[in-house]
Amino acid sequence: MSKYYNVLVLGSGGREHAIGWKLNQSRFLGQLFFGPGNAGTASIGKNIPVDINDFDSIKKILIKNKIDILVIGPENPLVNGISDKCSSDPDTSNVVVIGPQKSGAMLEGSKSFAKSFMQKHKIPTAKYKDFNAENSENAKKYLETLSAPFVIKADGLAAGKGVYICQNIDEAKKAIDKITVGLKFGEAGKKIVIEEFLEGKEISVFILTNGTEYKLFPIAQDYKRIGENDTGPNTGGMGAVSPVSFVDSELIKKIEEQIIKPTIHGLRRDEIKYTGFIFFGLMIVKSKPYLIEYNARLGDPETQSIMPLIDSDLLELFINIKNSSKFDRLKLVIKTLKSLTVILSSGGYPEKYKSGYEIKGLDQLGDITVFHAGVQEKNNSLFTSGGRVLAITSLAKSFEDSFEKAYKGLKKISFKDMYYRNDIGRNSR
Ligand code: AMP
Ligand code: GLY
């Protein structure tokens, strides 16, 4: 491999902009490409239009641009087997892919697979049962043996929409029908998982692993609901903070011993090769961690909070990920600062919203970092083009200060119908 490494980041959201922003600081970086990227990534690398699920087109980009490292942002290409295709093709087999093969991505791609993996490897999680769509009547009968609230999930990928938390049994039965009748979520609804409701505090834990060693990234918390004080419908995430105030070293030790290490051990025992990130969605119930779900990628908007906290060279970790002893020796150094991310969204999101409004004020921001998501450039001006438009991240010694900084900074930005939550990180003291 060359001394400088060419990198392609696949995806087009704020998460991918934040990953690229961090990689762009590396002393090992050759050229940085994004497929397809967004208006923000165009300012730090080269955007190449591509369908992230079309391996033949991606392969051409990899070869033409002599890509050494391919970083996969979103889950769909992983579950569709992009890593397998890349490593089994002689023309691309030397590319290091940051993202697991399909067998590992199934930890996110099938909730029923993930739950049986957790059970097999004795990883604390909510009790559950799974049912095929044809047996939805049995699923409904099973509900009678439980008490509210009921948690009903479509097995497969459903773009964050396949989980129903129901307060009574009628709602729960309707949720089962929504998933199974007419297969609204396609293949994803061929199975359902019903599980025990866990009451606690949710956190997002990320590791980068080669299947043997791992690096623990800063712990984060995202704000999923659209409204302040966690009200209203779920979104892709309206903000994030990192680190999380109530997560102390004792809890981190429990998370490593009870969740992370048994997962790595389980992957090895089940002969699932895994190179990439694992995102553990955890519920902390009375100081005990329970695993709600795995994701085979980084989180959005948690990544926009986490990347600015990393002092180490992220690309150096990627370059050496397959070399166990070298990877093991590399340290992940984290800044002792508090990071806070506020999402600016299009009014109406997560339901209907309008796009195409000009974004102003991005040239005078000072001490905050802006990551782009639903933004489009036209004739040197920027316009809204999605539900979540921008992510504003600030760093400071205390959450009080990062809160001040983020909200002072974002008030300089404007676009029609701009919406954001005023309480991101307000209680992170
Ligand atoms: P998921 O798509 O699996 O991340 O689920 C979406 C959200 O539903 C999670 O982030 C939790 O807030 C909630 N959730 C999922 N499973 C449970 C559970 N067993 N108990 C309580 N809340 C849950
Ligand atoms: N922020 C949660 C996710 O990326 O799935």
Side-chain angles (χ1 to χ4, degrees), residues 300-357:
D300 190 333
E302 291 96 325
T303 305
Q304 293 90 308
S305 281
I306 288 172
M307 286 299 153
L309 282 175
I310 297 171
D311 224 0
S312 307
D313 189 324
L314 183 64
L315 183 53
E316 190 176 14
L317 287 167
F318 289 170
I319 293 165
N320 293 293
I321 195 161
K322 303 266 191 189
N323 178 340
S324 261
S325 57
K326 189 98 192 273
F327 183 69
D328 197 30
R329 265 182 280 130
L330 287 171
K331 291 265 173 297
L332 183 68
V333 182
I334 306 300
K335 295 175 187 162
T336 50
L337 294 173
K338 312 293 183 192
S339 183
L340 187 151
T341 300
V342 184
I343 297 290
L344 308 186
S345 63
S346 299
Y349 170 81
E351 271 111 46
K352 263 199 197 148
Y353 59 86
K354 288 191 183 147
S355 289
Y357 299 127

Side-chain angles (χ1 to χ4, degrees), residues 183-251:
L183 296 178
K184 181 176 150 203
F185 300 110
E187 290 283 308
K190 286 200 161 165
K191 244 186 192 178
I192 47 174
V193 170
I194 299 181
E195 62 185 53
E196 169 198 21
F197 179 81
L198 295 175
E199 175 106 54
K201 290 183 185 161
E202 232 177 310
I203 59 171
S204 306
V205 175
F206 302 94
I207 62 165
L208 175 66
T209 183
N210 55 17
T212 310
E213 288 82 27
Y214 69 88
K215 304 290 171 202
L216 177 62
F217 278 60
I219 288 169
Q221 202 165 25
D222 81 344
Y223 290 70
K224 290 192 160 110
R225 303 292 195 92
I226 189 73
E228 278 154 31
N229 302 314
D230 300 325
T231 51
N234 261 331
T235 68
M238 293 305 295
V241 292
S242 179
V244 179
S245 310
F246 71 85
V247 180
D248 56 14
S249 57
E250 202 180 320
L251 180 54

Side-chain angles (χ1 to χ4, degrees), residues 140 143 152 164 166 168-181:
K140 288 177 190 166
L143 291 176
I152 319 282
Y164 295 85
C166 307
N168 63 58
I169 201 154
D170 287 337
E171 243 182 77
K173 287 180 180 170
K174 276 189 197 133
I176 292 175
D177 286 339
K178 272 189 204 149
I179 297 170
T180 57
V181 177

Side-chain angles (χ1 to χ4, degrees), residues 111 126 151 153 163 165 195-198 202 224 234 283 292-293:
K111 292 195 191 307
V151 182
K153 301 183 176 182
V163 175
I165 313 267
E195 62 185 53
E196 169 198 21
F197 179 81
L198 295 175
E202 232 177 310
K224 290 192 160 110
N234 261 331
M283 190 71 85
I292 291 191
E293 61 166 359

